[in-house]
Amino acid sequence: MALPTPLRGVVPPVCTPLDQQGEVDTASLARLVDHLIEGGVHALFALGSTSEVAYLTDRQRDTALETVRKASDGRVPVLAGVIDTTTGRVVDHARRARDLGADAIVATAPFYTRTHPREIAAHFRGIRAAVDLPLFAYDIPVSVTTKLPAGLVRELAVDGTLAGLKDSSGDEGGLRRLLVELGGRDARGDGPAPGFSVLTGSELTVDAALLAGVDGVVPGIGNVDPAGYVRLYEAALAGDWARAVSEQERLTALFSMVDVGPEADMGRSSSALGSFKAALHLLGLIDHPATALPQQPLSEASVAEVGRRLTAAGLTPVR
Amino acid sequence: MALPTPLRGVVPPVCTPLDQQGEVDTASLARLVDHLIEGGVHALFALGSTSEVAYLTDRQRDTALETVRKASDGRVPVLAGVIDTTTGRVVDHARRARDLGADAIVATAPFYTRTHPREIAAHFRGIRAAVDLPLFAYDIPVSVTTKLPAGLVRELAVDGTLAGLKDSSGDEGGLRRLLVELGGRDARGDGPAPGFSVLTGSELTVDAALLAGVDGVVPGIGNVDPAGYVRLYEAALAGDWARAVSEQERLTALFSMVDVGPEADMGRSSSALGSFKAALHLLGLIDHPATALPQQPLSEASVAEVGRRLTAAGLTPVR
Amino acid sequence: MALPTPLRGVVPPVCTPLDQQGEVDTASLARLVDHLIEGGVHALFALGSTSEVAYLTDRQRDTALETVRKASDGRVPVLAGVIDTTTGRVVDHARRARDLGADAIVATAPFYTRTHPREIAAHFRGIRAAVDLPLFAYDIPVSVTTKLPAGLVRELAVDGTLAGLKDSSGDEGGLRRLLVELGGRDARGDGPAPGFSVLTGSELTVDAALLAGVDGVVPGIGNVDPAGYVRLYEAALAGDWARAVSEQERLTALFSMVDVGPEADMGRSSSALGSFKAALHLLGLIDHPATALPQQPLSEASVAEVGRRLTAAGLTPVR
Amino acid sequence: MALPTPLRGVVPPVCTPLDQQGEVDTASLARLVDHLIEGGVHALFALGSTSEVAYLTDRQRDTALETVRKASDGRVPVLAGVIDTTTGRVVDHARRARDLGADAIVATAPFYTRTHPREIAAHFRGIRAAVDLPLFAYDIPVSVTTKLPAGLVRELAVDGTLAGLKDSSGDEGGLRRLLVELGGRDARGDGPAPGFSVLTGSELTVDAALLAGVDGVVPGIGNVDPAGYVRLYEAALAGDWARAVSEQERLTALFSMVDVGPEADMGRSSSALGSFKAALHLLGLIDHPATALPQQPLSEASVAEVGRRLTAAGLTPVR
């Protein structure tokens, strides 16, 4: 299906449930997709960082994307992450994503190598030229070490290389500068890149980002509570900022589950993705809470803590 | 004068004008203080990073603080930065600040050394024990390399070591988590640290930060346009978010002057502080635009560009 | 062929020549392999960082490895890089490498994700369990952001998970501590991990590293002058340190070609890999100097400068 | 006394013993100076990082330098650290150092601010112009975040701004490039900066650094075992590399005491400086093992472990 221009709303990065052999649990994934769409989300982002894309083999990536595509069944658009180190490898993923029916693709700056703004520009232009799908830039320096320069994003927005930006940089000041340069909150449609979509991945400041004029949000914890982010988005659209703040505060408290895995035992990916999956499992949405190797599993005590955070946020564990 | 509890509003970090010999230009500094207070600011922060505290000798720091204190003349409280590497050196500055009449002091985590949360806690507790003034923690990882852990700030807020936080970390998500843990936007006064003041140094997202519940802002560009930040603050207080956003967008565009110094020629401090001082000079507020050694001066073309940004923002250069 | 235990000597990371369509130029690659073996190297490392492994598609990786394997024809062992983000993806590469006849595999810590020592250990153990080939850990924090903790390397060396270490961390002090803990220069064979091979990727301090007791070196510039590194290695083996130093100094001057690409125009990968390939092209060893997308090409002036460095080092351009 | 040109040999950064009130213990410091000079060291570096310069107040810095100066009594030259954030503050320290009789001064790049090569050059030139003492650049990115660019050091060496470099960057490859550009191991005296002294602060690779052609070493653990570093230096001078390696290996094992403080409890400064002082205390050289606030003290178990490392290295605790 055609992607709205600009893409707006809540676009969760869909978790990839795994079975006990570490393979994609397609039944759980389909159930999760239903949960998200029923929660009111506006699009789905498959194969993002929260989807454990960096942990999935090419075969597993195909299975996950295919499952999301089929389960969504045209109800909402599907964006697909095409995450790899450099242009040639990303283009391979982009072609697979196209063949599997993705409505748009999402790519990061090059990583593993030491890159440069000129090379990042060539990278996005090379991907766009190779595969005819709307292309989103995924700004995630915590993973790729490079922050996308604001001037570069603007240039690629204006010249049509990029359809949008998923900003997970955490640099809200830089994002604000970009938004102002694109016309500001109320005048972006008349600005130099009218259809360009700006999505924030900073899930704890969505009310603030919507106030500043972003088009939407890609919240990892939105897997667990999609309806909460939809309510937050709608409150902001309606100008009901008190309600938006209140919803954001509840979701921020819920998000604190990412800290249940003790730092001495595991990395932040294990702890964050492990808590999301534990929550989905406790809510009865997926059959197994497993994360992919070499991530470390949460302890029973950590899982119990996730359960308490769910309850405190008004969600009801069934296990 | 006693500091309000919590401290609220616009608290600009006061630039330190220098004369052609590189000494503190006290006449210009007094004029700048008047400009700020007449602009409606709620307190002054002397000897902050924007004040070039890291460039001033101890003697110059004394002169600058004394001048701000005298010029403000009890109209607004004066916070003093006590920026140095570790506890003993900071305590020396804190005692001087107390003797010169500061109403509160502002200290960073230890730097130059490789520190640790336990040491940072001991650092703030040691400063608080040595000098009986309200103590603000200054979270500025770009300068000291360490991000203050949220749990540590909360602990020191709850036990009364800290009177407040000046957050220049740029980590808006972390700030939001802290605000929620302290009770959330509307319930902070009933939370575990009721008088604790949270000020943001992220001057491009002040509307968003006020929406999230911060008490005030410490904007470097507020030297140039204090009245603009006061209008933004008042719009937010009144719940007029459209006006707050509009004011923030104008100030964000104005702030872009920090980029006029080409990266190939100078560091970010030179470019940012140089543009602020060029603007103050063009506005007729200070006599010389000089920054301290070894910062590099802006070119004439860069200064002309600063002038254009002033005009575009509705301010009127007199030179 | 079986890998010597420990692996010793000069093990260049083989550049991957590309044709004008960006595909692997197998004829040039075979010629380069001959050049290296005739230069006296002791093994070949295909699909390393210098081989542009991060830029090659899976199909191109297969072609490159297959070509190196065939061209070397059992004269020296072939190590294959199996570079990817996490365990499952690395295991896929490792299986392909095994099927294509690699004698050993080389893997980094997980990247893109935020990892942890326990996860890194699980990662290497998972790879070792899945594919029965000697496994080298590749410590390259500049690419993967994580430094392999010395204690972890020692643990995995002692328990047999790792056959060796390729240390491109640049942390020579840490490397020395590891060597001492493994028994020291003369007693490593009687130490806790007797067959463990320590190779340095720090090509400018090979004399020093050999003095400290490493087994060998993986020099990128060794593509250009393999015989030089072999002479350096042999001088060190013979205890002729004056000759080793002199050879190292000549190679260090040669290596400065990596700076010919101006920083304003390109990243460090482009400049370094571009200069190596320009040198191989000028020496008549490969047909095209192209690097993979999105790397930027060297200017003519930069290529001319590479030529001057070759001549200064006693090598003779033929173009 | 006049500094030798170039300065050569073992130049320990002198620990600053503290009494139970946290003040400089001048009697212990004088005893330590005797210990070092009797161990055969060639000069003393007061007020370095290992001297806890970042923790000492200006008054304490004066006391420490004065004590070292008096206790050394012209037997060896005394270099003084003049560590502070920017030019004006460093010049203040440099003047005090000169007045207290230092034979040379040692300054880092600016810190706390975001600096630039042009500013670093202006910084060193400004210091040199203000105080007529030989000036050493102290390259310590772990403390100041900036690595001194090799080209800049070379420029300031050639034009006479700098008398030498103390390289604690850990970048041995970069150091090698500098040495080669200055003429190489045997031809530095005929090179572009003939009297320029290159000292390494990388105390675990001193044999390697001397092989590469550095003039001397500034070893923190040299406080504990100065005679060991003098033997290592003399072995290298004599070309007895086997003996140099063996001594380095013993000192490397001794150095591992820096890890006795558990990471969960303290920063790396606390652990390293705490272990050095514990060792000096156990050896009866200083009266108290205290480190300055806010560093955390070693546990009894950690101190016992320091004792075992001393014994293993052939040194004899008296407590």
Side-chain angles (χ1 to χ4, degrees):
Chain A
M1 62 189 296
L3 205 68
T5 304
L7 177 63
R8 289 203 171 110
V10 178
V11 188
V14 187
C15 281
T16 308
L18 301 177
D19 64 23
Q20 281 168 317
Q21 283 70 46
E23 294 298 333
V24 178
D25 174 354
T26 54
S28 290
L29 179 49
R31 212 177 306 132
L32 176 58
V33 166
D34 279 343
H35 165 67
L36 296 172
I37 296 177
E38 286 160 13
V41 306
H42 305 83
L44 298 172
F45 175 27
L47 302 181
S49 302
T50 300
S51 318
E52 294 175 86
V53 66
Y55 296 92
L56 302 177
T57 63
D58 285 352
R59 187 176 48 75
Q60 292 173 327
R61 291 189 186 194
D62 287 355
T63 303
L65 177 54
E66 202 164 18
T67 304
V68 171
R69 192 71 192 81
K70 282 191 184 158
S72 63
D73 195 25
R75 290 178 287 174
V76 295
V78 174
L79 292 75
V82 291
I83 309 301
D84 217 312
T85 47
T86 59
T87 315
R89 297 184 63 81
V90 170
V91 166
D92 272 4
H93 293 293
R95 289 185 175 135
R96 272 201 296 273
R98 180 196 56 199
D99 294 347
L100 293 168
D103 300 304
I105 53 175
V106 185
T108 70
F111 55 97
Y112 189 88
T113 73
R114 287 169 289 173
T115 193
H116 184 277
R118 285 199 187 188
E119 296 172 7
I120 300 173
H123 177 66
F124 284 118
R125 290 198 171 106
I127 299 166
R128 187 68 189 85
V131 177
D132 190 22
L133 277 178
L135 171 62
F136 282 68
Y138 188 174
D139 194 11
I140 184 162
V142 72
S143 290
V144 305
T145 76
T146 306
K147 171 86 182 81
L148 292 181
L152 180 66
V153 172
R154 197 174 58 242
E155 177 188 331
L156 298 173
V158 170
D159 76 8
T161 300
L162 295 178
L165 170 71
K166 192 225 155 174
D167 180 9
S168 293
S169 72
D171 177 6
E172 307 306 320
L175 180 61
R176 190 58 171 270
R177 292 188 65 178
L178 177 69
L179 289 167
V180 168
E181 289 169 358
L182 293 179
R185 173 183 168 76
D186 296 317
R188 289 215 358 251
D190 301 321
F196 187 74
S197 173
V198 179
L199 307 176
T200 180
S202 296
E203 52 205 305
L204 307 185
T205 53
V206 178
D207 49 357
L210 290 166
L211 180 68
V214 301
D215 297 291
V217 55
V218 185
I221 191 84
N223 281 276
V224 178
D225 192 1
Y229 274 99
V230 170
R231 284 193 300 271
L232 163 50
Y233 177 70
E234 289 175 350
L237 271 199
D240 185 347
W241 294 105
R243 194 154 58 90
V245 167
S246 162
E247 195 64 54
Q248 178 69 78
E249 291 184 346
R250 190 184 60 81
L251 290 163
T252 299
L254 179 65
F255 180 82
S256 66
M257 70 169 62
V258 301
D259 290 335
V260 299
E263 271 183 65
D265 289 352
M266 62 183 69
R268 301 308 299 157
S269 297
S270 294
S271 179
L273 300 180
S275 71
F276 292 170
K277 285 188 153 180
L280 294 173
H281 185 244
L282 291 173
L283 292 172
L285 293 163
I286 67 175
D287 289 344
H288 307 280
T291 52
L293 287 178
Q295 291 174 93
Q296 302 294 296
L298 294 183
S299 67
E300 276 186 39
S302 293
V303 172
E305 186 58 30
V306 169
R308 284 189 287 276
R309 307 287 168 104
L310 288 172
T311 303
L315 302 175
T316 311
V318 299
R319 290 188 225 257
Chain B
M1 62 188 296
L3 204 71
T5 306
L7 177 63
R8 291 206 169 107
V10 178
V11 188
V14 187
C15 282
T16 308
L18 302 176
D19 65 22
Q20 282 168 317
Q21 285 70 48
E23 293 299 332
V24 177
D25 173 353
T26 56
S28 289
L29 180 49
R31 211 178 306 131
L32 176 58
V33 165
D34 279 344
H35 165 68
L36 296 172
I37 296 178
E38 286 159 13
V41 305
H42 304 85
L44 297 172
F45 175 30
L47 302 181
S49 303
T50 300
S51 316
E52 295 176 85
V53 66
Y55 296 91
L56 301 178
T57 64
D58 285 353
R59 186 177 48 76
Q60 291 172 327
R61 290 189 187 194
D62 286 356
T63 303
L65 177 55
E66 204 164 16
T67 305
V68 171
R69 193 71 192 80
K70 282 190 184 157
S72 63
D73 196 25
R75 291 178 287 175
V76 295
V78 174
L79 292 76
V82 290
I83 309 301
D84 216 313
T85 47
T86 59
T87 314
R89 297 184 63 81
V90 170
V91 166
D92 272 6
H93 293 292
R95 289 187 175 132
R96 272 201 296 273
R98 180 197 56 199
D99 295 347
L100 293 167
D103 300 304
I105 53 175
V106 186
T108 69
F111 55 97
Y112 189 88
T113 72
R114 288 169 288 173
T115 193
H116 184 276
R118 284 197 188 190
E119 296 171 7
I120 300 173
H123 178 67
F124 285 117
R125 290 199 171 104
I127 299 165
R128 187 68 190 83
V131 177
D132 190 21
L133 277 178
L135 172 61
F136 282 67
Y138 189 173
D139 194 12
I140 184 162
V142 73
S143 290
V144 305
T145 75
T146 305
K147 169 87 183 80
L148 293 181
L152 180 65
V153 172
R154 196 173 60 240
E155 176 188 331
L156 297 173
V158 170
D159 76 8
T161 301
L162 295 178
L165 169 72
K166 192 225 155 174
D167 180 11
S168 294
S169 71
D171 178 4
E172 308 306 321
L175 180 61
R176 189 58 171 272
R177 291 188 64 177
L178 177 68
L179 289 168
V180 168
E181 289 170 359
L182 293 178
R185 174 182 166 78
D186 295 317
R188 288 212 2 248
D190 301 321
F196 187 76
S197 173
V198 179
L199 307 176
T200 180
S202 296
E203 52 204 304
L204 305 185
T205 52
V206 178
D207 49 356
L210 290 166
L211 179 68
V214 302
D215 297 291
V217 56
V218 186
I221 192 82
N223 281 275
V224 179
D225 191 2
Y229 275 100
V230 170
R231 285 193 299 272
L232 163 49
Y233 176 70
E234 289 175 351
L237 271 199
D240 186 346
W241 295 106
R243 194 155 58 90
V245 166
S246 161
E247 195 64 55
Q248 178 69 76
E249 290 184 348
R250 190 185 58 82
L251 290 162
T252 299
L254 179 65
F255 179 82
S256 66
M257 67 169 65
V258 302
D259 290 333
V260 299
E263 270 184 67
D265 289 352
M266 61 185 65
R268 300 309 298 156
S269 297
S270 295
S271 178
L273 300 179
S275 70
F276 293 169
K277 285 187 153 182
L280 293 172
H281 185 244
L282 291 173
L283 293 172
L285 292 163
I286 67 176
D287 288 345
H288 308 281
T291 52
L293 287 177
Q295 290 173 93
Q296 302 296 296
L298 294 184
S299 67
E300 277 186 41
S302 293
V303 172
E305 184 59 31
V306 169
R308 284 190 287 275
R309 307 288 168 106
L310 288 172
T311 303
L315 303 173
T316 311
V318 300
R319 290 186 224 259
Chain C
M1 64 188 294
L3 205 70
T5 306
L7 177 64
R8 290 204 172 109
V10 178
V11 187
V14 187
C15 282
T16 308
L18 301 177
D19 64 23
Q20 282 168 315
Q21 284 70 47
E23 294 299 332
V24 178
D25 174 353
T26 55
S28 290
L29 179 49
R31 212 177 306 130
L32 176 59
V33 166
D34 279 345
H35 165 68
L36 296 171
I37 295 178
E38 285 160 15
V41 306
H42 305 84
L44 298 172
F45 175 28
L47 303 181
S49 302
T50 300
S51 317
E52 296 176 85
V53 65
Y55 296 91
L56 302 177
T57 63
D58 285 352
R59 186 176 49 75
Q60 290 172 328
R61 290 189 187 193
D62 286 355
T63 303
L65 177 54
E66 202 164 18
T67 305
V68 171
R69 192 72 192 79
K70 282 191 183 157
S72 63
D73 196 25
R75 290 178 286 175
V76 295
V78 175
L79 291 75
V82 289
I83 309 302
D84 217 311
T85 48
T86 59
T87 315
R89 296 184 64 81
V90 170
V91 166
D92 272 5
H93 293 294
R95 289 186 175 135
R96 273 201 296 274
R98 180 196 56 199
D99 294 347
L100 292 168
D103 299 305
I105 53 176
V106 185
T108 70
F111 54 97
Y112 189 88
T113 73
R114 289 169 287 175
T115 192
H116 184 276
R118 285 198 187 189
E119 295 171 5
I120 300 173
H123 178 66
F124 284 119
R125 290 198 171 106
I127 300 166
R128 187 68 188 85
V131 177
D132 191 21
L133 278 178
L135 172 62
F136 282 67
Y138 188 174
D139 194 11
I140 184 162
V142 73
S143 291
V144 305
T145 76
T146 305
K147 170 87 182 83
L148 292 180
L152 179 66
V153 172
R154 195 173 61 241
E155 177 188 331
L156 297 173
V158 170
D159 76 9
T161 301
L162 295 178
L165 170 71
K166 191 224 157 175
D167 181 10
S168 294
S169 71
D171 177 6
E172 308 306 320
L175 180 61
R176 189 56 170 273
R177 291 188 65 177
L178 177 69
L179 289 167
V180 168
E181 289 170 357
L182 293 178
R185 175 182 166 78
D186 295 318
R188 289 216 356 252
D190 301 322
F196 187 75
S197 174
V198 178
L199 308 175
T200 180
S202 297
E203 52 205 305
L204 306 186
T205 53
V206 178
D207 49 355
L210 290 166
L211 180 67
V214 302
D215 297 290
V217 55
V218 185
I221 192 82
N223 280 275
V224 178
D225 191 2
Y229 274 99
V230 170
R231 285 194 298 272
L232 163 49
Y233 177 71
E234 288 175 351
L237 271 199
D240 185 347
W241 295 106
R243 194 154 57 89
V245 166
S246 162
E247 195 66 53
Q248 178 70 76
E249 291 183 349
R250 190 184 58 81
L251 291 163
T252 299
L254 179 65
F255 180 82
S256 66
M257 69 169 64
V258 301
D259 290 334
V260 299
E263 272 184 66
D265 290 352
M266 62 184 67
R268 302 307 298 156
S269 297
S270 293
S271 178
L273 300 179
S275 70
F276 293 169
K277 285 187 153 181
L280 293 173
H281 185 244
L282 291 173
L283 292 172
L285 292 162
I286 66 176
D287 289 344
H288 308 280
T291 52
L293 287 178
Q295 290 173 94
Q296 301 296 296
L298 294 184
S299 67
E300 276 186 41
S302 293
V303 172
E305 185 59 29
V306 169
R308 284 189 288 277
R309 308 285 168 105
L310 288 172
T311 303
L315 303 174
T316 311
V318 300
R319 291 187 224 256
Chain D
M1 63 189 295
L3 205 70
T5 305
L7 177 63
R8 289 205 171 108
V10 178
V11 188
V14 187
C15 282
T16 308
L18 302 177
D19 64 22
Q20 281 167 316
Q21 284 69 47
E23 294 298 333
V24 177
D25 173 354
T26 55
S28 289
L29 179 50
R31 211 177 306 132
L32 176 58
V33 165
D34 279 345
H35 165 67
L36 296 172
I37 296 177
E38 287 160 12
V41 306
H42 304 85
L44 297 172
F45 175 28
L47 302 181
S49 303
T50 300
S51 316
E52 295 175 84
V53 67
Y55 296 91
L56 302 178
T57 64
D58 285 354
R59 186 176 48 76
Q60 292 173 327
R61 290 189 187 193
D62 286 355
T63 303
L65 177 55
E66 203 164 17
T67 305
V68 170
R69 194 71 191 81
K70 282 191 184 157
S72 63
D73 196 25
R75 291 178 286 174
V76 295
V78 174
L79 292 75
V82 291
I83 308 301
D84 218 312
T85 47
T86 59
T87 314
R89 298 184 63 82
V90 170
V91 166
D92 271 5
H93 294 293
R95 289 185 175 135
R96 272 201 296 274
R98 179 196 59 200
D99 295 347
L100 293 168
D103 300 305
I105 53 176
V106 185
T108 69
F111 54 97
Y112 189 88
T113 73
R114 287 168 290 173
T115 193
H116 184 277
R118 284 198 189 190
E119 296 172 6
I120 300 173
H123 177 67
F124 285 118
R125 290 199 171 104
I127 299 165
R128 187 68 190 85
V131 178
D132 190 22
L133 278 178
L135 172 61
F136 282 67
Y138 189 174
D139 194 11
I140 184 163
V142 73
S143 291
V144 306
T145 76
T146 306
K147 170 85 182 82
L148 293 181
L152 179 66
V153 172
R154 195 174 60 241
E155 176 188 331
L156 297 172
V158 170
D159 75 9
T161 301
L162 295 178
L165 170 72
K166 192 225 155 175
D167 180 10
S168 295
S169 71
D171 178 5
E172 308 307 320
L175 181 61
R176 190 57 170 274
R177 292 188 64 177
L178 178 69
L179 289 167
V180 168
E181 288 169 359
L182 294 178
R185 174 183 166 77
D186 294 318
R188 287 211 2 246
D190 300 321
F196 187 75
S197 173
V198 179
L199 307 175
T200 180
S202 297
E203 52 204 305
L204 306 185
T205 53
V206 178
D207 50 355
L210 290 166
L211 178 68
V214 302
D215 297 291
V217 55
V218 185
I221 191 84
N223 281 276
V224 179
D225 192 1
Y229 274 99
V230 171
R231 286 194 298 272
L232 163 49
Y233 177 71
E234 289 176 349
L237 271 199
D240 185 347
W241 295 105
R243 194 155 58 90
V245 167
S246 160
E247 196 65 54
Q248 179 69 78
E249 291 184 348
R250 190 184 60 81
L251 290 163
T252 299
L254 180 64
F255 179 82
S256 66
M257 70 170 62
V258 302
D259 290 334
V260 299
E263 272 184 66
D265 289 352
M266 61 184 67
R268 301 308 298 157
S269 297
S270 294
S271 178
L273 300 179
S275 70
F276 292 170
K277 286 188 152 180
L280 293 173
H281 185 243
L282 291 173
L283 292 172
L285 292 163
I286 67 175
D287 289 344
H288 307 281
T291 52
L293 287 178
Q295 291 173 94
Q296 302 295 296
L298 293 184
S299 67
E300 278 187 39
S302 293
V303 172
E305 185 59 31
V306 169
R308 284 190 287 275
R309 308 286 168 104
L310 288 172
T311 303
L315 303 174
T316 310
V318 300
R319 289 188 226 257

